Amino acid sequence: MKILVAGATGAIGRRLVPLLVKSGHTVSGTTRHADRARTLVELGAQPIVVDVFDAETLRDTLANDRPDAIIHQLTDLSGEDFKANSRLRIEGTRNLVDAAKAAGVEVMVAQSIAWLYVAGTTPAVETDPLDPDARGYAGVVALENIVAELPRGVVLRYGRLYGPGTWYAPDGLIAERIRKGEFNEPPAWASFVHVDDAAAGAAAALDWPAGPVNVVDDEPTTDWIGTFGGTPSDGVPAGRPISNAKARSLGWQPAYPRLSVSEPLAT
């Protein structure tokens, strides 16, 4: 299969591309930055330098590349600019799906997030409602609805990513703030997923039916701040634990079933 990975130099993309190549797929990878093209070559992908906000060029790119499927891993969080990331989810996804339609691509796997469910104590499943008051809701719902326009649009609702290149890596943004005592957040449920498991989920999802799937580890936790060396706050946890039962029923299982920053690939 010929696969285009949009956002191929991100934390998941850098681990996903080699998985796809090893499985025998022909892979193209997009990046906005020309200086990252060499990285994609080293990973085994054909590099494509394109800005997803340039709808015309993106359409021409997909028409020329003619992939069988697209894996959408585009994010814009390097500067903690949540507004920019929401714009990417809305406008970028719109352009990517329109270009896919024009090129005759019917399959897309797209990155979403799992922590927007309405709060509760029972593990959330994919049919449970999302919280319209949660930060990021508008962008996430727009992304999921746009991807659903394709004949087979699979949405991966990832847990909080940890492992190399993430905010929760030992040298990552949030992990460092927790260690320094600079991270203040009320107690909350959190479901994590290691970047290797996230990448494996994206590769597997090429064969999954359309719709959302929670891709999280087996053990939601309220003590995750303590895992990173901080002191958890007291009180009733906000948020909600997340179930990965659907992903498991489709054949995915996490190599990292619980959050642990001491495991080899998480350093």
Side-chain angles (χ1 to χ4, degrees):
M1 184 183 292
K2 188 171 186 181
I3 301 167
L4 184 142
V5 178
T9 58
I12 296 175
R14 291 194 300 271
R15 307 181 89 76
L16 172 60
V17 169
L19 277 182
L20 296 172
V21 172
K22 186 177 180 179
S23 296
H25 299 296
T26 300
V27 182
S28 299
T30 76
T31 176
R32 289 176 293 172
H33 307 284
D35 58 353
R36 296 182 183 176
R38 182 175 180 81
T39 297
L40 290 173
V41 173
E42 292 170 351
L43 292 174
Q46 173 66 38
I48 297 174
V49 180
V50 65
D51 188 335
V52 73
F53 292 119
D54 185 344
E56 183 176 351
T57 300
L58 185 64
R59 185 181 292 251
D60 291 343
T61 296
L62 265 66
N64 292 330
D65 193 62
R66 302 187 64 81
D68 299 306
I70 297 169
I71 300 181
H72 172 359
Q73 295 285 353
L74 293 163
T75 60
D76 189 358
L77 284 170
S78 58
E80 295 185 84
D81 190 338
F82 297 102
K83 184 176 180 180
N85 197 53
S86 185
R87 179 187 173 221
L88 181 59
R89 283 176 174 153
I90 299 170
E91 296 179 29
T93 303
R94 176 77 274 162
N95 291 343
L96 189 61
V97 168
D98 285 348
K101 290 178 179 178
V105 180
E106 297 187 349
V107 179
M108 181 178 289
V109 175
Q111 177 184 150
S112 186
I113 56 177
W115 56 88
L116 294 188
Y117 289 102
V118 171
T121 56
T122 58
V125 297
E126 290 79 0
T127 53
D128 287 331
L130 303 183
D131 182 357
D133 294 324
R135 183 174 68 180
Y137 173 86
V140 166
V141 170
L143 178 149
E144 295 192 0
N145 288 340
I146 294 167
V147 172
E149 295 175 10
L150 293 170
R152 187 151 59 89
V154 185
V155 172
L156 304 182
R157 291 178 176 169
Y158 286 131
R160 302 190 193 202
L161 290 172
Y162 76 102
T166 72
W167 284 359
Y168 294 91
D171 60 348
L173 181 70
I174 292 181
E176 184 175 354
R177 287 178 182 171
I178 291 173
R179 285 196 305 273
K180 291 180 177 179
E182 298 173 352
F183 186 85
N184 296 309
E185 185 172 302
W189 282 102
S191 292
F192 284 81
V193 64
H194 192 280
V195 281
D196 285 334
D197 287 329
L206 290 166
D207 297 320
W208 292 354
V213 183
N214 296 330
V215 178
V216 299
D217 65 18
D218 292 339
E219 298 185 13
T221 176
T222 58
D223 188 34
W224 59 275
I225 292 179
T227 302
F228 289 97
T231 303
S233 302
D234 295 327
V236 178
R240 191 168 182 182
I242 311 296
S243 169
N244 65 10
K246 182 176 180 179
R248 279 186 164 277
S249 75
L250 292 167
W252 176 85
Q253 59 181 6
Y256 298 86
R258 66 193 62 81
L259 174 65
S260 174
V261 295
S262 64
E263 294 186 76
L265 291 182
T267 60

